[in-house]
Amino acid sequence: MSDRSGLFDGDDPFAIARSWLDAAQDSEINDPNAVALSTVDADGMPNARMVLLKEIENKAFVFYTNYDSVKAHEIEHCGKAAFVMHWKSLRRQIRVRGTVTREEGPQADAYFNSRSLKSRLGAWASKQSHPLASRGALVAKVAKVTATKGLSPKRPPFWGGYRIVPTEIEFWADGEYRLHDRFQWRRDTIDAPWAIVRLHP
């Protein structure tokens, strides 16, 4: 497309996404890799929450969570998810929709081991999304886990990654007078070639 240049230039949407995230890491004060992740429950009711995107692969986006959380149950039920990354400092955003699979092998182990010790112990102690009697109860659970798991806890079997393979990616950049630039990359299946269109703001 002749006018897709500058910020939007390139034939690989994942490379574009990585370059935008790299730019955000220099300008956003906190969590430039934060995304608003959307899922749908068994009744079709949508849900959204912030998570941290941990990797942009050559064909997918990866984040990690507790497999017994609400988001995980909704993902497992539907097999699809969407997210938006918004960078206020850059006045840009990326929207993604696609299918989801688990990442619970060596890559998940490596990421878990890269986390701080307290975060690893917290992952063992927290029953994410489940009712909690008090913060004191959680602190006590962390202490118990610390005593039993030691200083090098392995990744819990109920904790790991999800890989979103997109069928749709949209790059959005703010424009004067709200005449924003939007380019949508879309394909019918994850193996199909991308079709790229400019969208009205």
Side-chain angles (χ1 to χ4, degrees), residues 74-155:
E74 292 176 352
I75 286 171
E76 297 289 346
H77 170 76
C78 183
K80 299 174 184 176
F83 71 77
V84 60
M85 304 181 78
H86 175 254
W87 299 293
K88 189 173 183 179
S89 62
L90 296 177
R91 301 170 76 164
R92 301 180 207 167
Q93 69 179 20
I94 300 174
R95 298 172 61 208
V96 171
R97 298 200 299 170
T99 58
V100 188
T101 58
R102 284 193 183 194
E103 170 49 62
E104 50 188 345
Q107 184 173 331
D109 293 336
Y111 171 66
F112 184 79
N113 292 332
S114 74
R115 305 176 88 209
S116 70
L117 175 59
K118 289 184 178 180
S119 292
R120 284 178 280 156
L121 293 169
W124 273 100
S126 175
K127 298 181 69 174
Q128 194 175 98
S129 302
H130 292 255
L132 175 64
S134 68
R135 184 166 185 84
L138 179 60
V139 171
K141 182 70 178 294
V142 171
K144 183 177 180 180
V145 166
T146 302
T148 57
K149 298 297 180 184
L151 300 179
S152 185
K154 293 183 179 180
R155 178 176 61 87

Side-chain angles (χ1 to χ4, degrees), residues 3-14:
D3 64 341
R4 189 170 58 82
S5 59
L7 293 175
F8 303 94
D9 192 25
D11 297 323
D12 181 354
F14 300 98

Side-chain angles (χ1 to χ4, degrees), residues 12-14 37-38 53 55-63 75 78-83 94-103 107 161-170 185-194:
D12 181 354
F14 300 98
L37 177 74
S38 297
L53 187 70
E55 190 170 358
I56 302 177
E57 300 178 333
N58 290 333
K59 295 183 178 181
F61 299 85
V62 182
F63 70 94
I75 286 171
C78 183
K80 299 174 184 176
F83 71 77
I94 300 174
R95 298 172 61 208
V96 171
R97 298 200 299 170
T99 58
V100 188
T101 58
R102 284 193 183 194
E103 170 49 62
Q107 184 173 331
Y162 281 111
R163 178 176 283 105
I164 301 176
V165 180
T167 52
E168 187 177 303
I169 305 175
E170 181 191 316
W185 298 60
R186 191 168 187 172
R187 56 189 179 180
D188 293 332
T189 67
I190 61 174
D191 298 317
W194 292 104

